[in-house]
Each structure stands twice: as structure tokens, then as C-alpha cells.
Amino acid sequence: MNEIVIAPSILSLDYSNVSAQLEELKASKAKWLHFDVMDGHFVPNLTFGPDILKGFKKACPLFMDVHLMVEDPKTYAPIFIKNGADLVTFHTEALDNDLSRIQGLLDEIHNLGAKGGIVVKPNTAIEPFESVLKSCDLVLVMSVEPGFGGQKFMADMLKKVEWLKEKREELNLSYRIEIDGGINQDTYKSALDAGCDTLVAGSYVFKNDITKTIEGMLA
């Protein structure tokens, strides 16, 4: 079984207090930082570019988990890897759920020296992507509609997590199972019980005591 990892999302960082919150993160048991890239087209929000990632990489030694919510992940994946992404996940929907294109981008990410994985929105079934699971270091299940933080957790998405866990065992694979959206004191246990080993948490971490909140989820 994979070690449980908490990946605080910088979408919810207090940008009037960045240095202090990054210091708290570095002193906590968080090992990853989740970096949401939104282009204002694929999702109705605009966030961070590669230079921001480069700055975070310099200021914080955590593993950089970059989630591309963009229309053209093939163009942007190499740019974010160059600027410090350790892992890049991209939406299957951005590539029209085309297995050949998805496999090609996973291969390119790996060839550039990073880890790679796929993401599915709530209305996208996970089962059609079984053939690319062998090339995924991580599969990210969205438990809210991507675009904004602070949304309510969609518990029915845990069925995808359970399926991914079963397939991982059946196919003897080792990909991580990550969930993103609405993770808090009431939902994180359900996610872990369903088979998640990587939890993206934004508001829950940054609006509370960072160290205690992360430790609580790992207890």
C-alpha cells in the first residue's frame, strides 16, 4: 500500500501571508504541494503560470504536484516540467478522451523526466481509461467541478476511487489515487477508506492550523 500523502493546494493559500504559510508547510508533515493551473478556457478561472511555479519551487522543497486544467496540455506540460513540476496531471477531456493522444502525452511527460497522470471531471467515467493506467504514476479523481476552491464534496465520486483501487490490485500496478475537492474533517476519512492515498486539501489546511490539520489527516 502506498504511503498517505497530503498535498495542500496553493489555490487556497493566504497570499497576504505567503512566506509565513510556506514556512508552516515546510515544518509540517506535508510532502507535496498541489499547484492548480487554470487557463480561463478549460475551466472558468485563471490562476498560475510557470514563473509562479518556479518561484514556489525555489522557496519550498516540497514535491510539486501540477494539475493542468488547460485546453492544450500537450503544449504546457513541457513548460511546467522545465519550471519545476515533479508530477504533471492533465484532463482526459482536454484531449477529447482520445486514448492514443492521452498515451502520447503520458509518454512525453515521462521522457522529460517527470511523473505523469490523468484527471477526470465528475461527469467523466473512469473505466474507459483502463488501458492507460499502466502508464500513470497517479490518477486524480475530481470530487468537485474543477475551477474554484471551497466546493462541496461529491461523495458519489468515491465509486471511481474504489474501481481504481480494484484495478490497481487486479493489474498489479502501483499508481497513486488522488482526490481533489471538498476534502475536510468530514470527508477525508471517507476518501481514505475508499482507497485514496493522496489527498488534495485547500481551504481546510490553509484556513486552520496548518501543522495540526495535516497531522490530523495522517493520524
Side-chain angles (χ1 to χ4, degrees):
M1 179 171 170
N2 291 327
E3 175 189 13
I4 303 301
V5 166
I6 309 301
S9 170
I10 66 162
L11 195 61
S12 299
L13 196 68
D14 178 356
Y15 282 91
S16 67
N17 194 27
V18 174
S19 294
Q21 290 206 324
L22 285 181
E23 287 305 314
E24 282 190 68
L25 271 182
K26 286 190 278 186
S28 77
K29 291 184 177 179
K31 295 183 178 179
W32 290 22
L33 200 58
H34 191 76
F35 193 90
D36 290 300
V37 180
M38 306 181 193
D39 63 359
H41 297 283
F42 184 74
V43 290
N45 197 3
L46 193 63
T47 58
F48 317 108
D51 286 344
I52 304 295
L53 174 65
K54 194 174 184 178
F56 270 96
K57 186 77 172 179
K58 187 176 180 181
C60 190
L62 299 183
F63 182 91
M64 293 295 169
D65 170 23
V66 175
H67 174 192
L68 296 181
M69 287 169 267
V70 300
E71 285 187 344
D72 187 7
K74 184 168 174 55
T75 293
Y76 286 101
I79 294 171
F80 279 92
I81 293 169
K82 182 180 178 181
N83 284 275
D86 295 298
L87 181 148
V88 174
T89 53
F90 59 91
H91 277 264
T92 62
E93 303 92 354
L95 298 179
D96 300 317
N97 295 321
D98 183 311
L99 291 171
S100 176
R101 294 170 69 196
I102 291 166
Q103 183 65 58
L105 184 49
L106 286 167
D107 291 343
E108 183 176 359
I109 289 169
H110 288 137
N111 288 339
L112 291 170
K115 295 182 182 297
I118 59 171
V119 193
V120 290
K121 290 182 179 182
N123 289 330
T124 302
I126 188 64
E127 292 86 356
F129 306 104
E130 180 176 343
S131 66
V132 299
L133 292 178
K134 65 184 183 301
S135 299
C136 291
D137 299 292
L138 177 146
V139 180
L140 170 53
V141 173
M142 293 301 300
S143 45
V144 298
E145 284 295 336
F148 296 93
Q151 297 182 64
K152 187 178 178 183
F153 183 77
M154 299 167 71
D156 53 339
M157 294 301 108
L158 294 178
K159 293 174 185 174
K160 295 180 183 179
V161 173
E162 292 166 355
W163 183 86
L164 284 165
K165 182 182 178 184
E166 289 172 7
K167 281 295 163 186
R168 185 171 61 187
E169 293 170 1
E170 177 188 322
L171 301 173
N172 195 28
L173 299 174
S174 59
Y175 55 81
R176 301 189 69 86
I177 304 172
E178 183 173 53
I179 197 161
D180 183 1
I183 293 297
N184 58 32
Q185 70 276 7
D186 300 317
T187 58
Y188 83 89
K189 286 183 180 177
S190 299
L192 292 176
D193 289 344
C196 292
D197 48 45
T198 312
L199 304 179
V200 177
S203 306
Y204 181 49
V205 169
F206 289 112
K207 288 182 169 53
N208 294 295
D209 182 301
I210 292 172
T211 300
K212 286 183 180 177
T213 302
I214 291 169
E215 283 184 355
M217 286 191 283
L218 291 170

